[in-house]
């Protein structure tokens, strides 16, 4: 890990080190499970070992973490048939070929991959919303926004662009409801789909909004990478507090995440403004969003400071965000 592993500034090198640790943990756990299951579960040890050797050396599909979770659940329930299917499916997951790959959500009603993405992307999100594949028009429009957002970051914030490319292997485009009377989503991510983020393809906030969306969801994945070493907060999940980004009360872990990612969004916008590459309505929107991000961070950090029981790692990471916001004020 770098000299300042909990620094606030983006770092592609730090992400590569986090990825190595995440994959090492996955490989070690799967090797142990395979050793224990051999003889009880029908799978090819040779094919699995070949896959694990590759996983130890380079990126894996975000779905590998989902399969691992389901495998543990199946074995705990003595469901050897499901365990066999999962162990045989794992070697067939294609490794990512450079990130991020943008793909439309496979139909959850017709494909295993679609159901897996919908189930794991965020538990409380998927339980409360119906997500579907995007329309071709929405997908094309969102892909253009993503391309334009990366072009802006490459010009004004190359460090963030490099970190996101190292961290986010898949951007999954989905669609939520367009009924204004119902709640929907902008983006989502999850520990058990590490390396993937989901974006609502119906959003139309332009490249400035998309830069912030990518900064937001990639920051969640960054924090998930650190969580492999332990929790960021030690509050009980039953303790609920006001969130800066949600209307419903959230556990402290959610408040912590929301506060940190809001600071990352502020930084992303500030970098583009400072680079002098924005003008007209884009600059006007950026300044407005900058003020809103500062307001949301202040709201979130107040809750964290008053009620958060942070681990040493959680304290170090949030200190970096707080120091940045204090200097930007």
């Amino acid at each position: 890990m770098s000299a300042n592993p909990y620094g606030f500034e983006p770092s592609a090198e730090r992400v590569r080190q986090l990825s190595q640790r995440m994959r090492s943990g996955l490989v070690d756990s799967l090797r142990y499970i395979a050793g224990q299951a051999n003889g009880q579960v029908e799978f090819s040890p040779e094919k699995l070992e070949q896959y694990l050797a590759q996983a130890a050396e380079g990126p894996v599909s975000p779905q590998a973490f989902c399969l691992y979770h389901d495998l543990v659940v199946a074995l705990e329930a003595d469901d050897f048939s499901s365990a066999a299917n999962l162990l045989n499916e794992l070697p067939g997951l294609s490794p990512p070929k450079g990130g991020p790959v943008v793909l439309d959500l496979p139909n959850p009603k017709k494909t295993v991959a679609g159901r897996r993405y919908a189930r794991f992307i965020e538990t409380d999100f998927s339980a409360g919303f119906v997500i579907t594949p995007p329309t071709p028009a929405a997908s094309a429009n969102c892909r253009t926004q993503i391309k334009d957002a990366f072009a802006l970051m490459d010009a004004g914030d190359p460090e963030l662009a490099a970190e996101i490319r190292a961290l986010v292997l898949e951007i999954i485009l989905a669609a939520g409801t367009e009924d204004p009377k119902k709640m929907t989503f902008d983006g989502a991510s999850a520990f058990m789909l590490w390396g993937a983020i989901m974006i609502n393809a119906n959003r139309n906030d332009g490249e400035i909004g998309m830069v912030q969306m990518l900064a937001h969801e990639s920051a969640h994945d960054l924090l998930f990478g650190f969580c492999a070493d332990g929790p960021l907060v030690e509050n009980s999940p039953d303790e609920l507090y006001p969130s800066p980004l949600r209307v419903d009360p959230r556990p402290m872990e959610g408040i912590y995440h929301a506060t940190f990612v809001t600071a990352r969004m502020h930084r992303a916008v500030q970098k583009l403004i400072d680079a002098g590459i924005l003008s007209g309505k884009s600059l006007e929107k950026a300044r407005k969003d900058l003020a809103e991000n500062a307001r949301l961070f202040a709201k979130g950090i107040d809750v964290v400071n008053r009620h958060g029981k942070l681990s040493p790692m959680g304290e170090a990471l949030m200190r970096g965000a707080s120091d940045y916001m204090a200097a930007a004020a």
Side-chain angles (χ1 to χ4, degrees), residues 79-128:
D79 184 355
F80 297 141
S81 176
S82 294
N85 290 337
L86 292 164
L87 282 169
N88 286 312
E89 182 182 356
L90 194 60
L93 293 178
S94 300
K97 299 178 180 178
V101 174
V102 182
L103 58 99
D104 291 355
L105 174 72
N107 193 329
K109 295 182 178 180
K110 297 181 179 180
T111 66
V112 172
R115 287 191 293 274
R116 189 170 289 142
Y117 283 125
R119 185 160 53 95
F120 277 95
I121 194 65
E122 187 181 335
T123 303
D124 62 350
F125 155 78
S126 57

Side-chain angles (χ1 to χ4, degrees), residues 200-218:
N200 189 339
N202 292 331
R203 59 179 283 114
N204 193 20
D205 203 18
E207 64 269 25
I208 301 297
M210 186 57 71
V211 166
Q212 293 174 82
M213 174 56 61
L214 293 171
H216 177 138
E217 295 301 339
S218 66

